[in-house]
Protein backbone atom coordinates (compact mmCIF):
# COMPACT_ATOMS: atom_id res chain seq x y z
CA UNK A 1 0.00 0.00 0.00
CA UNK A 2 1.29 3.47 -0.95
CA UNK A 3 0.47 6.80 0.71
CA UNK A 4 0.17 10.33 -0.60
CA UNK A 5 -1.77 13.44 0.34
CA UNK A 6 -4.08 13.42 -2.70
CA UNK A 7 -5.07 10.75 -5.22
CA UNK A 8 -6.53 11.99 -8.51
CA UNK A 9 -8.41 9.51 -10.70
CA UNK A 10 -8.30 10.73 -14.28
CA UNK A 11 -5.27 12.12 -16.07
CA UNK A 12 -6.94 14.48 -18.52
CA UNK A 13 -6.43 18.25 -18.46
CA UNK A 14 -8.47 18.85 -15.28
CA UNK A 15 -6.75 16.03 -13.38
CA UNK A 16 -3.22 16.99 -14.43
CA UNK A 17 -3.87 20.69 -13.75
CA UNK A 18 -5.20 19.83 -10.30
CA UNK A 19 -2.11 17.72 -9.60
CA UNK A 20 0.14 20.64 -10.50
CA UNK A 21 -1.90 23.12 -8.44
CA UNK A 22 -2.02 20.87 -5.38
CA UNK A 23 1.67 19.97 -5.60
CA UNK A 24 2.38 23.72 -5.58
CA UNK A 25 0.52 23.81 -2.22
CA UNK A 26 3.14 21.42 -0.82
CA UNK A 27 1.07 18.24 -1.17
CA UNK A 28 2.14 14.90 -2.59
CA UNK A 29 -0.12 13.74 -5.42
CA UNK A 30 -0.72 10.51 -7.34
CA UNK A 31 -2.57 10.59 -10.68
CA UNK A 32 -4.21 7.41 -11.96
CA UNK A 33 -4.98 7.23 -15.67
CA UNK A 34 -6.52 4.31 -17.60
CA UNK A 35 -4.62 5.06 -20.82
CA UNK A 36 -1.22 3.38 -21.15
CA UNK A 37 1.72 5.60 -20.21
CA UNK A 38 3.03 6.10 -23.79
CA UNK A 39 -0.38 7.18 -25.08
CA UNK A 40 -0.90 9.40 -22.03
CA UNK A 41 2.46 11.09 -22.51
CA UNK A 42 1.99 11.63 -26.26
CA UNK A 43 -1.76 11.95 -26.86
CA UNK A 44 -2.97 11.73 -30.43
CA UNK A 45 -4.94 14.40 -32.24
CA UNK A 46 -8.60 14.03 -31.22
CA UNK A 47 -10.17 16.76 -33.36
CA UNK A 48 -11.02 19.09 -30.49
CA UNK A 49 -9.81 22.69 -30.59
CA UNK A 50 -10.02 24.46 -27.23
CA UNK A 51 -10.91 28.17 -27.07
CA UNK A 52 -8.78 29.31 -24.15
CA UNK A 53 -9.64 32.51 -22.31
CA UNK A 54 -6.89 34.88 -21.19
CA UNK A 55 -7.32 33.61 -17.64
CA UNK A 56 -6.92 30.00 -18.73
CA UNK A 57 -3.70 30.91 -20.54
CA UNK A 58 -2.51 32.57 -17.32
CA UNK A 59 -3.30 29.39 -15.36
CA UNK A 60 -1.46 27.18 -17.86
CA UNK A 61 1.56 29.50 -17.63
CA UNK A 62 1.55 29.36 -13.83
CA UNK A 63 1.35 25.57 -13.93
CA UNK A 64 4.34 25.36 -16.31
CA UNK A 65 2.35 23.79 -19.15
CA UNK A 66 2.21 26.70 -21.59
CA UNK A 67 5.95 26.58 -22.32
CA UNK A 68 5.51 23.03 -23.65
CA UNK A 69 2.92 24.07 -26.26
CA UNK A 70 4.55 24.96 -29.62
CA UNK A 71 3.93 28.55 -30.68
CA UNK A 72 2.73 27.38 -34.09
CA UNK A 73 -0.07 25.46 -32.36
CA UNK A 74 -1.47 28.62 -30.72
CA UNK A 75 -3.96 30.42 -32.97
CA UNK A 76 -5.29 33.85 -31.88
CA UNK A 77 -9.04 34.35 -32.01
CA UNK A 78 -9.53 37.95 -33.16
CA UNK A 79 -13.29 37.99 -33.71
CA UNK A 80 -16.28 35.74 -33.07
CA UNK A 81 -19.46 35.75 -35.13
CA UNK A 82 -22.82 34.14 -34.42
CA UNK A 83 -25.14 33.64 -37.39
CA UNK A 84 -28.50 31.99 -37.96
CA UNK A 85 -30.00 30.94 -41.27
CA UNK A 86 -28.54 32.29 -44.50
CA UNK A 87 -27.86 35.96 -45.30
CA UNK A 88 -28.94 37.11 -41.84
CA UNK A 89 -27.49 39.83 -39.61
CA UNK A 90 -24.60 38.35 -37.54
CA UNK A 91 -23.84 39.02 -33.88
CA UNK A 92 -20.14 39.93 -33.65
CA UNK A 93 -17.66 40.17 -30.79
CA UNK A 94 -14.18 41.66 -31.01
CA UNK A 95 -11.45 43.22 -28.83
CA UNK A 96 -11.78 46.84 -29.92
CA UNK A 97 -10.81 49.23 -27.12
CA UNK A 98 -9.57 46.48 -24.81
CA UNK A 99 -5.83 46.79 -25.41
CA UNK A 100 -5.29 43.22 -26.68
CA UNK A 101 -5.37 41.69 -30.15
CA UNK A 102 -7.26 38.46 -29.37
CA UNK A 103 -10.47 37.40 -27.65
CA UNK A 104 -8.69 34.20 -26.73
CA UNK A 105 -6.52 31.47 -28.23
CA UNK A 106 -7.36 28.23 -30.01
CA UNK A 107 -5.14 25.29 -29.11
CA UNK A 108 -5.64 21.62 -29.94
CA UNK A 109 -6.72 19.54 -26.97
CA UNK A 110 -3.91 17.03 -27.47
CA UNK A 111 -1.30 19.82 -27.30
CA UNK A 112 -2.70 21.05 -23.99
CA UNK A 113 -2.79 17.51 -22.59
CA UNK A 114 0.81 16.93 -23.63
CA UNK A 115 1.92 20.24 -22.10
CA UNK A 116 0.25 19.45 -18.79
CA UNK A 117 1.70 15.93 -18.76
CA UNK A 118 5.23 17.22 -19.38
CA UNK A 119 4.87 19.81 -16.62
CA UNK A 120 3.54 17.20 -14.17
CA UNK A 121 6.28 14.69 -15.06
CA UNK A 122 8.88 17.23 -13.94
CA UNK A 123 7.39 17.79 -10.47
CA UNK A 124 8.95 15.64 -7.73
CA UNK A 125 5.74 15.60 -5.69
CA UNK A 126 3.63 14.06 -8.46
CA UNK A 127 3.45 10.33 -9.32
CA UNK A 128 1.94 9.53 -12.72
CA UNK A 129 0.47 6.00 -12.91
CA UNK A 130 -0.58 5.19 -16.47
CA UNK A 131 -2.50 2.07 -17.46
CA UNK A 132 -4.19 2.11 -14.05
CA UNK A 133 -7.93 1.68 -13.47
CA UNK A 134 -9.74 2.34 -10.19
CA UNK A 135 -11.71 -0.58 -8.78
CA UNK A 136 -13.01 0.66 -5.41
CA UNK A 137 -12.82 3.66 -3.11
CA UNK A 138 -13.09 3.19 0.65
CA UNK A 139 -13.20 5.75 3.44
CA UNK A 140 -11.48 4.49 6.58
CA UNK A 141 -11.42 7.02 9.41
CA UNK A 142 -10.09 10.26 7.96
CA UNK A 143 -8.40 8.59 5.00
CA UNK A 144 -9.51 7.51 1.53
CA UNK A 145 -8.16 4.26 0.12
CA UNK A 146 -8.23 3.88 -3.65
CA UNK A 147 -8.02 0.27 -4.78
CA UNK A 148 -6.71 -0.01 -8.31
CA UNK A 149 -5.60 -2.86 -10.53
CA UNK A 150 -1.99 -2.39 -9.38
CA UNK A 151 -2.54 -2.15 -5.63
CA UNK A 152 -3.85 0.48 -3.20
CA UNK A 153 -3.15 4.13 -2.42
CA UNK A 154 -4.27 5.80 0.81
CA UNK A 155 -4.60 9.56 0.92
CA UNK A 156 -6.35 12.37 2.74
CA UNK A 157 -8.30 13.37 -0.37
CA UNK A 158 -9.50 11.49 -3.45
CA UNK A 159 -10.48 13.46 -6.55
CA UNK A 160 -12.60 12.23 -9.47
CA UNK A 161 -11.54 13.76 -12.80
CA UNK A 162 -12.41 11.05 -15.31
CA UNK A 163 -14.82 12.83 -17.64
CA UNK A 164 -18.54 13.39 -18.02
CA UNK A 165 -19.34 9.64 -18.10
CA UNK A 166 -17.40 9.27 -14.85
CA UNK A 167 -17.00 5.81 -13.37
CA UNK A 168 -15.60 7.43 -10.23
CA UNK A 169 -18.77 9.49 -9.76
CA UNK A 170 -20.79 6.28 -9.94
CA UNK A 171 -18.49 4.49 -7.49
CA UNK A 172 -19.18 7.31 -5.02
CA UNK A 173 -22.94 6.98 -5.65
CA UNK A 174 -23.22 10.57 -6.84
CA UNK A 175 -26.01 11.12 -9.32
CA UNK A 176 -26.06 13.74 -12.06
CA UNK A 177 -28.45 15.71 -14.23
CA UNK A 178 -28.02 14.29 -17.73
CA UNK A 179 -29.23 16.25 -20.74
CA UNK A 180 -29.09 14.23 -23.94
CA UNK A 181 -29.33 16.60 -26.91
CA UNK A 182 -29.85 13.61 -29.23
CA UNK A 183 -27.15 14.95 -31.50
CA UNK A 184 -23.51 14.21 -32.13
CA UNK A 185 -20.71 16.41 -33.38
CA UNK A 186 -18.09 15.65 -36.00
CA UNK A 187 -14.76 17.43 -35.62
CA UNK A 188 -11.85 17.59 -38.04
CA UNK A 189 -9.43 20.01 -39.70
CA UNK A 190 -9.86 21.21 -43.24
CA UNK A 191 -7.52 23.35 -45.33
CA UNK A 192 -9.18 25.99 -47.51
CA UNK A 193 -8.33 28.49 -50.24
CA UNK A 194 -9.83 31.65 -48.71
CA UNK A 195 -8.34 33.22 -45.56
CA UNK A 196 -10.24 33.00 -42.26
CA UNK A 197 -8.65 36.18 -40.82
CA UNK A 198 -8.72 34.44 -37.42
CA UNK A 199 -12.49 34.88 -37.18
CA UNK A 200 -14.51 32.11 -35.50
CA UNK A 201 -18.06 31.55 -36.74
CA UNK A 202 -20.88 29.74 -34.96
CA UNK A 203 -23.58 29.19 -37.56
CA UNK A 204 -27.06 27.89 -36.71
CA UNK A 205 -28.39 26.81 -40.09
CA UNK A 206 -31.57 24.92 -40.75
CA UNK A 207 -31.05 21.28 -39.80
CA UNK A 208 -27.43 21.72 -38.72
CA UNK A 209 -25.08 23.70 -36.50
CA UNK A 210 -21.57 24.50 -37.72
CA UNK A 211 -18.61 26.07 -35.99
CA UNK A 212 -15.66 27.23 -38.10
CA UNK A 213 -12.66 27.68 -35.81
CA UNK A 214 -9.56 29.35 -37.32
CA UNK A 215 -6.24 27.57 -36.84
CA UNK A 216 -2.82 28.44 -38.17
CA UNK A 217 -1.66 27.25 -41.58
CA UNK A 218 -4.62 28.22 -43.75
CA UNK A 219 -7.00 25.75 -42.12
CA UNK A 220 -10.05 25.65 -39.89
CA UNK A 221 -11.44 23.18 -37.44
CA UNK A 222 -14.92 22.14 -38.53
CA UNK A 223 -17.41 21.30 -35.79
CA UNK A 224 -20.59 19.94 -37.35
CA UNK A 225 -23.62 19.01 -35.24
CA UNK A 226 -26.25 16.67 -36.71
CA UNK A 227 -28.33 13.63 -35.72
CA UNK A 228 -26.15 10.71 -34.68
CA UNK A 229 -26.77 8.61 -37.79
CA UNK A 230 -25.82 11.51 -40.09
CA UNK A 231 -22.59 12.12 -38.20
CA UNK A 232 -21.69 8.44 -38.46
CA UNK A 233 -22.34 8.51 -42.22
CA UNK A 234 -20.08 11.56 -42.66
CA UNK A 235 -17.36 10.06 -40.50
CA UNK A 236 -17.10 7.09 -42.86
CA UNK A 237 -17.71 8.94 -46.12
CA UNK A 238 -15.05 8.69 -48.85
CA UNK A 239 -12.68 11.69 -48.67
CA UNK A 240 -13.59 13.47 -51.94
CA UNK A 241 -17.31 13.08 -51.27
CA UNK A 242 -16.75 14.33 -47.72
CA UNK A 243 -14.92 17.44 -48.97
CA UNK A 244 -17.70 18.21 -51.41
CA UNK A 245 -20.44 17.79 -48.82
CA UNK A 246 -18.68 19.99 -46.25
CA UNK A 247 -18.19 22.75 -48.85
CA UNK A 248 -21.90 22.55 -49.66
CA UNK A 249 -22.84 22.63 -45.95
CA UNK A 250 -20.75 25.75 -45.25
CA UNK A 251 -22.07 27.48 -48.36
CA UNK A 252 -18.68 27.69 -50.04
CA UNK A 253 -17.66 30.55 -47.74
CA UNK A 254 -14.03 29.38 -47.44
CA UNK A 255 -13.57 28.34 -51.07
CA UNK A 256 -12.25 24.89 -51.93
CA UNK A 257 -11.82 22.76 -48.80
CA UNK A 258 -9.97 19.50 -48.23
CA UNK A 259 -9.70 17.22 -45.23
CA UNK A 260 -6.23 17.31 -43.62
CA UNK A 261 -6.83 15.33 -40.41
CA UNK A 262 -8.59 12.33 -38.98
CA UNK A 263 -12.33 12.63 -38.28
CA UNK A 264 -13.75 12.25 -34.77
CA UNK A 265 -17.32 12.00 -33.48
CA UNK A 266 -18.61 12.80 -29.99
CA UNK A 267 -22.12 12.48 -28.48
CA UNK A 268 -23.66 15.71 -27.18
CA UNK A 269 -24.72 15.30 -23.58
CA UNK A 270 -24.68 17.83 -20.79
CA UNK A 271 -23.85 16.61 -17.27
CA UNK A 272 -24.20 18.33 -13.90
CA UNK A 273 -23.34 16.30 -10.79
CA UNK A 274 -25.75 16.44 -7.86
CA UNK A 275 -22.78 16.93 -5.53
CA UNK A 276 -19.21 18.05 -6.11
CA UNK A 277 -17.92 16.94 -2.70
CA UNK A 278 -18.31 14.56 0.22
CA UNK A 279 -15.97 13.82 3.16
CA UNK A 280 -12.54 13.13 1.67
CA UNK A 281 -13.76 13.32 -1.94
CA UNK A 282 -14.19 15.95 -4.67
CA UNK A 283 -15.28 16.01 -8.32
CA UNK A 284 -13.67 18.32 -10.88
CA UNK A 285 -13.65 18.83 -14.65
CA UNK A 286 -16.33 17.20 -16.79
CA UNK A 287 -16.99 14.68 -14.02
CA UNK A 288 -18.54 17.60 -12.10
CA UNK A 289 -19.86 19.74 -14.97
CA UNK A 290 -19.90 18.61 -18.59
CA UNK A 291 -21.03 21.55 -20.73
CA UNK A 292 -22.57 21.61 -24.20
CA UNK A 293 -19.75 23.02 -26.38
CA UNK A 294 -21.98 25.76 -27.84
CA UNK A 295 -20.46 28.45 -25.56
CA UNK A 296 -16.91 26.98 -25.70
CA UNK A 297 -16.48 27.35 -21.95
CA UNK A 298 -16.36 23.76 -20.71
CA UNK A 299 -12.57 23.48 -20.65
CA UNK A 300 -12.15 26.91 -19.08
CA UNK A 301 -14.64 26.06 -16.33
CA UNK A 302 -12.73 22.82 -15.70
CA UNK A 303 -9.52 24.79 -15.16
CA UNK A 304 -11.35 27.19 -12.86
CA UNK A 305 -12.80 24.30 -10.88
CA UNK A 306 -9.44 22.74 -10.09
CA UNK A 307 -8.08 26.21 -9.31
CA UNK A 308 -10.91 26.82 -6.82
CA UNK A 309 -10.29 23.42 -5.20
CA UNK A 310 -6.56 24.12 -4.78
CA UNK A 311 -7.19 27.61 -3.40
CA UNK A 312 -9.70 26.36 -0.83
CA UNK A 313 -7.36 23.55 0.20
CA UNK A 314 -4.46 25.99 0.55
CA UNK A 315 -6.61 28.30 2.69
CA UNK A 316 -7.68 25.30 4.77
CA UNK A 317 -4.09 24.17 5.31
CA UNK A 318 -3.29 27.63 6.67
CA UNK A 319 -6.09 27.10 9.23
CA UNK A 320 -4.84 23.63 10.11
CA UNK A 321 -7.56 21.78 8.16
CA UNK A 322 -6.96 18.57 6.22
CA UNK A 323 -7.27 18.61 2.40
CA UNK A 324 -10.13 16.13 2.81
CA UNK A 325 -11.95 18.15 5.46
CA UNK A 326 -15.66 18.45 4.64
CA UNK A 327 -15.67 22.15 5.55
CA UNK A 328 -12.88 22.80 3.00
CA UNK A 329 -14.62 20.78 0.32
CA UNK A 330 -18.00 22.38 0.97
CA UNK A 331 -16.45 25.81 0.41
CA UNK A 332 -15.07 24.56 -2.89
CA UNK A 333 -18.45 23.09 -3.83
CA UNK A 334 -20.36 26.32 -3.10
CA UNK A 335 -17.85 28.36 -5.04
CA UNK A 336 -17.84 26.08 -8.08
CA UNK A 337 -21.63 25.74 -8.10
CA UNK A 338 -22.02 29.52 -8.15
CA UNK A 339 -19.60 29.70 -11.08
CA UNK A 340 -21.19 26.92 -13.11
CA UNK A 341 -24.91 26.50 -12.39
CA UNK A 342 -26.16 29.68 -14.13
CA UNK A 343 -23.92 29.09 -17.17
CA UNK A 344 -24.95 25.43 -17.41
CA UNK A 345 -28.65 26.37 -17.40
CA UNK A 346 -28.14 29.22 -19.86
CA UNK A 347 -26.08 27.04 -22.20
CA UNK A 348 -28.75 24.33 -22.30
CA UNK A 349 -31.39 26.98 -23.01
CA UNK A 350 -29.34 28.49 -25.83
CA UNK A 351 -28.69 25.04 -27.28
CA UNK A 352 -32.44 24.35 -27.29
CA UNK A 353 -33.43 27.65 -28.91
CA UNK A 354 -30.67 27.66 -31.50
CA UNK A 355 -30.84 24.05 -32.63
CA UNK A 356 -34.58 23.66 -33.18
CA UNK A 357 -35.94 24.43 -36.64
CA UNK A 358 -39.62 25.11 -36.02
CA UNK A 359 -40.65 28.49 -37.54
CA UNK A 360 -41.16 30.12 -34.13
CA UNK A 361 -37.61 29.25 -33.04
CA UNK A 362 -36.10 30.50 -36.32
CA UNK A 363 -37.88 33.85 -35.97
CA UNK A 364 -36.90 34.12 -32.31
CA UNK A 365 -33.20 33.57 -32.90
CA UNK A 366 -33.06 35.89 -35.92
CA UNK A 367 -34.70 38.68 -33.94
CA UNK A 368 -32.53 37.86 -30.91
CA UNK A 369 -29.28 38.26 -32.82
CA UNK A 370 -30.33 41.61 -34.26
CA UNK A 371 -31.35 42.98 -30.88
CA UNK A 372 -28.25 41.61 -29.13
CA UNK A 373 -25.91 43.07 -31.76
CA UNK A 374 -27.47 46.51 -31.24
CA UNK A 375 -27.04 46.40 -27.44
CA UNK A 376 -23.52 47.59 -26.66
CA UNK A 377 -23.71 46.81 -22.88
CA UNK A 378 -24.81 43.25 -23.61
CA UNK A 379 -22.03 42.73 -26.14
CA UNK A 380 -19.49 44.15 -23.70
CA UNK A 381 -20.57 41.77 -20.95
CA UNK A 382 -20.41 38.74 -23.26
CA UNK A 383 -17.04 39.83 -24.68
CA UNK A 384 -15.61 40.17 -21.18
CA UNK A 385 -16.91 36.70 -20.33
CA UNK A 386 -15.38 35.23 -23.50
CA UNK A 387 -12.02 36.86 -22.74
CA UNK A 388 -12.00 36.45 -18.93
CA UNK A 389 -9.14 38.89 -18.43
CA UNK A 390 -9.86 40.16 -14.90
CA UNK A 391 -7.20 38.17 -13.15
CA UNK A 392 -5.00 37.71 -16.17
CA UNK A 393 -4.66 41.42 -16.96
Amino acid sequence: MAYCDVTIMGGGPAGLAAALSLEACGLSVAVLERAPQPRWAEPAFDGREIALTHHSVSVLKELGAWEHIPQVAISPLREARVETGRSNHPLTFDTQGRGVDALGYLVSNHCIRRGLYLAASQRPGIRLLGGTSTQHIRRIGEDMTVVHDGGEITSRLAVGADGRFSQIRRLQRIGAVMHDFKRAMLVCRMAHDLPHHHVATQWFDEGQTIALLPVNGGASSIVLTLPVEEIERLRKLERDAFNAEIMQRVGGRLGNMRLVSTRHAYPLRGVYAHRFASPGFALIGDAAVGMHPITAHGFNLGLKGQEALAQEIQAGLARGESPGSLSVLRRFERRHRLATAPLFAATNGIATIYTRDEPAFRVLRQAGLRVADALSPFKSVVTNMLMDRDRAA
Side-chain angles (χ1 to χ4, degrees):
M1 180 184 294
Y3 181 87
C4 62
D5 292 314
V6 182
T7 302
I8 298 173
M9 293 154 285
L16 288 170
L20 288 159
S21 295
L22 293 169
E23 199 261 359
C25 295
L27 301 174
S28 57
V29 184
V31 184
L32 279 56
E33 167 58 34
R34 284 175 295 185
Q37 201 88 23
R39 198 169 68 197
W40 189 18
E42 290 289 344
F45 175 79
D46 62 12
R48 290 175 287 188
E49 303 293 334
I50 307 300
L52 295 170
T53 64
H54 288 261
H55 181 67
S56 290
V57 171
S58 177
V59 170
L60 292 173
K61 287 179 178 178
E62 290 174 7
L63 297 178
W66 192 252
E67 64 193 64
H68 297 296
I69 299 174
Q71 190 66 34
V72 71
I74 302 167
S75 179
L77 177 56
R78 305 199 191 284
E79 182 182 309
R81 296 166 59 95
V82 181
E83 302 179 16
T84 183
R86 306 218 173 197
S87 303
N88 284 295
H89 186 80
L91 173 61
T92 61
F93 303 96
D94 57 41
T95 64
Q96 290 183 13
R98 289 178 170 80
V100 293
D101 65 353
L103 288 167
Y105 301 90
L106 287 162
V107 182
S108 287
N109 186 56
H110 75 288
C111 292
I112 299 172
R113 293 172 68 102
R114 181 177 179 274
L116 285 164
Y117 181 92
L118 287 171
S121 68
Q122 295 170 4
R123 296 283 187 89
I126 299 176
R127 293 176 59 206
L128 299 174
L129 304 175
T132 305
S133 298
T134 300
Q135 307 299 329
H136 305 287
I137 306 171
R138 298 193 299 261
R139 182 165 174 81
I140 303 174
E142 296 299 311
D143 290 331
M144 300 292 287
T145 296
V146 175
V147 180
H148 56 85
D149 47 18
E152 297 182 2
I153 300 177
T154 296
S155 56
R156 293 187 283 171
L157 172 66
V159 178
D162 58 333
R164 67 185 63 202
F165 307 116
S166 172
Q167 175 203 7
I168 304 305
R169 188 177 62 225
R170 291 194 296 272
L171 287 176
Q172 289 298 99
R173 295 181 173 85
I174 297 176
V177 174
M178 294 270 191
H179 191 139
D180 188 347
F181 295 95
K182 302 190 184 304
R183 293 286 189 275
M185 65 179 186
L186 179 81
V187 288
C188 62
R189 277 195 181 188
M190 299 195 73
H192 43 78
D193 291 346
L194 300 180
H196 50 51
H197 301 295
H198 291 277
V199 176
T201 301
Q202 182 86 23
W203 182 21
F204 301 98
D205 196 13
E206 187 171 344
Q208 63 180 7
T209 301
I210 301 174
L212 304 172
L213 306 178
V215 297
N216 294 329
S220 290
S221 173
I222 307 297
V223 184
L224 176 62
T225 302
L226 288 167
V228 176
E229 60 275 10
E230 277 293 287
I231 289 295
E232 189 60 18
R233 178 187 66 81
L234 281 167
R235 190 179 68 82
K236 297 177 178 177
L237 192 62
E238 185 271 329
R239 183 177 292 255
D240 288 342
F242 178 82
N243 293 342
E245 182 162 338
I246 294 298
M247 282 189 282
Q248 183 272 327
R249 285 184 176 275
V250 304
R253 62 174 63 197
L254 291 172
N256 289 321
M257 304 179 74
R258 59 193 180 280
L259 184 66
V260 292
S261 76
T262 49
R263 288 169 273 186
H264 302 265
Y266 299 97
L268 284 180
R269 294 177 192 164
V271 177
Y272 201 93
H274 293 161
R275 291 181 286 124
F276 298 162
S278 59
F281 181 79
L283 282 174
I284 60 171
D286 281 359
V289 182
M291 299 282 288
H292 189 292
I294 200 168
T295 58
H297 259 296
F299 184 93
N300 297 295
L301 284 176
L303 275 188
K304 280 195 166 184
Q306 66 80 30
E307 182 183 37
L309 177 63
Q311 288 173 350
E312 294 300 338
I313 287 174
Q314 188 170 38
L317 290 171
R319 294 188 295 265
E321 296 176 288
S322 167
S325 162
L326 186 58
S327 60
V328 168
L329 298 177
R330 286 289 187 232
R331 285 191 286 271
F332 151 70
E333 182 175 49
R334 285 194 296 271
R335 180 172 164 183
H336 197 40
R337 198 171 293 280
L338 283 171
T340 58
L343 191 55
F344 182 81
T347 297
N348 287 352
I350 291 169
T352 299
I353 291 173
Y354 278 85
T355 56
R356 292 184 62 173
D357 291 320
E358 293 91 330
F361 285 96
R362 291 203 301 270
V363 171
L364 179 62
R365 60 186 181 237
Q366 288 171 10
L369 290 189
R370 284 185 176 276
V371 171
D373 196 51
L375 294 175
S376 295
F378 169 80
K379 290 181 65 173
S380 181
V381 167
V382 174
T383 301
N384 287 335
M385 183 191 75
L386 291 172
M387 296 175 68
D388 194 7
R389 290 186 68 224
D390 291 342
R391 283 170 288 179

